[in-house]
Amino acid sequence: MRLVIARCSVDYVGRLTAHLPMAPRLILMKADGSVSIHADDRAYKPLNWMNPPCKVREEEIDGVLTWSVVHGKTGEKLVLTIEEVLHDSSHELGVDPGLRKDGVEAHLQELLAEHITTLGDGWTLVRREYMTAIGPVDILCRDHLGGAVAVEIKRRGDIDGVEQLTRYLELLNRDPRLAPVKGIFAAQEIKPQARVLAADRGIDCVTLDYDALRGIEPENPTLF
């Protein structure tokens, strides 16, 4: 990645025209060929940019440095007129490992299994990833009366998750060792349509508080 801080003006020519007057700006030139121009007043959105593939041509005419950034497919162009370069450096960043999100479904499952009494006093865990003929249900547990409960966990719960749990319940209730099996649809956020469908199917919805699950004494979730 090349980082350039320069006093420059920027003109965009393409489906429309746009002009940034002369001012100090940060220019990012990435290995994928993209070029973006940034100010110091926003976290992520550039003032202007050119997506790859594009080519950069640097030339100096009458003492004025000009960079022309041309998009290879559409012919759109960014023209940077540079009055003064304040910083110019290149850095090899290597392969990025990607974003690892905290609180993914597997972690939520692990935390809820560890704190199964979050669902109710006297509840006990049977096992995580309880296998059925169409795949594993996230958690199989028993309530305070000893009844079997299947729990499907999502980060954001929608109607597809409710349908998935419905199929698991249909199979689990064929097992005389478990039947009758109730269902709980648990997520950090549950869409209104999913709540309506779950209620129609006789499935309870639980909103999980991820921060509470990580604590020593997790708070009770909201049960609908």
Side-chain angles (χ1 to χ4, degrees):
M1 178 183 292
R2 185 178 178 186
L3 307 176
V4 179
I5 299 175
R7 283 187 53 81
C8 63
S9 63
V10 183
D11 291 279
Y12 169 79
V13 180
R15 289 166 291 181
L16 49 80
T17 59
H19 175 72
L20 293 171
M22 190 69 66
R25 296 189 175 92
L26 169 64
I27 305 164
L28 298 183
M29 306 175 71
K30 296 185 178 181
D32 64 0
S34 63
V35 177
S36 57
I37 296 94
H38 299 258
D40 198 22
D41 66 342
R42 59 191 72 190
Y44 65 95
K45 188 175 181 180
L47 298 169
N48 216 324
W49 68 94
M50 192 72 77
N51 291 324
C54 58
K55 295 182 179 180
V56 179
R57 185 177 71 247
E58 298 185 27
E59 57 184 349
E60 186 173 339
I61 301 176
D62 297 330
V64 178
L65 181 61
T66 301
W67 292 356
S68 297
V69 184
V70 181
H71 194 283
K73 292 184 178 180
T74 63
E76 297 171 272
K77 183 187 292 186
L78 279 179
V79 179
L80 287 75
T81 302
I82 298 175
E83 184 177 86
E84 180 183 9
V85 175
L86 305 172
H87 174 85
D88 189 347
S89 63
S90 297
H91 307 270
E92 181 61 50
L93 300 185
V95 178
D96 189 88
L99 177 65
R100 296 182 180 179
K101 294 183 178 180
D102 195 14
V104 295
E105 291 171 16
H107 198 195
L108 284 169
Q109 181 193 126
E110 179 183 352
L111 287 168
L112 186 58
E114 182 180 352
H115 302 287
I116 199 65
T117 53
T118 299
L119 300 175
D121 292 336
W123 287 48
T124 57
L125 175 69
V126 176
R127 66 166 297 169
R128 293 170 54 194
E129 299 288 333
Y130 187 89
M131 187 57 65
T132 74
I134 58 173
V137 64
D138 289 331
I139 289 178
L140 184 68
C141 57
R142 291 192 179 275
D143 62 20
H144 66 291
L145 298 175
V149 182
V151 184
E152 184 63 23
I153 299 170
K154 302 293 183 185
R155 293 188 70 233
R156 291 181 176 83
D158 56 24
I159 58 176
D160 288 341
V162 177
E163 292 285 7
Q164 182 181 1
L165 179 55
T166 300
R167 294 191 293 269
Y168 288 146
L169 289 170
E170 182 180 350
L171 290 172
L172 291 169
N173 275 300
R174 296 177 188 175
D175 187 341
R177 299 169 300 175
L178 298 175
V181 183
K182 297 188 298 183
I184 288 181
F185 187 53
Q188 290 177 284
E189 176 187 346
I190 302 176
K191 295 183 178 179
Q193 300 92 329
R195 293 186 184 277
V196 172
L197 182 60
D200 183 69
R201 301 283 172 83
I203 295 171
D204 290 329
C205 288
V206 171
T207 303
L208 297 175
D209 186 332
Y210 178 60
D211 290 334
L213 284 172
R214 289 192 299 178
I216 298 175
E217 297 182 357
E219 298 176 2
N220 290 330
T222 302
L223 181 61
F224 297 89

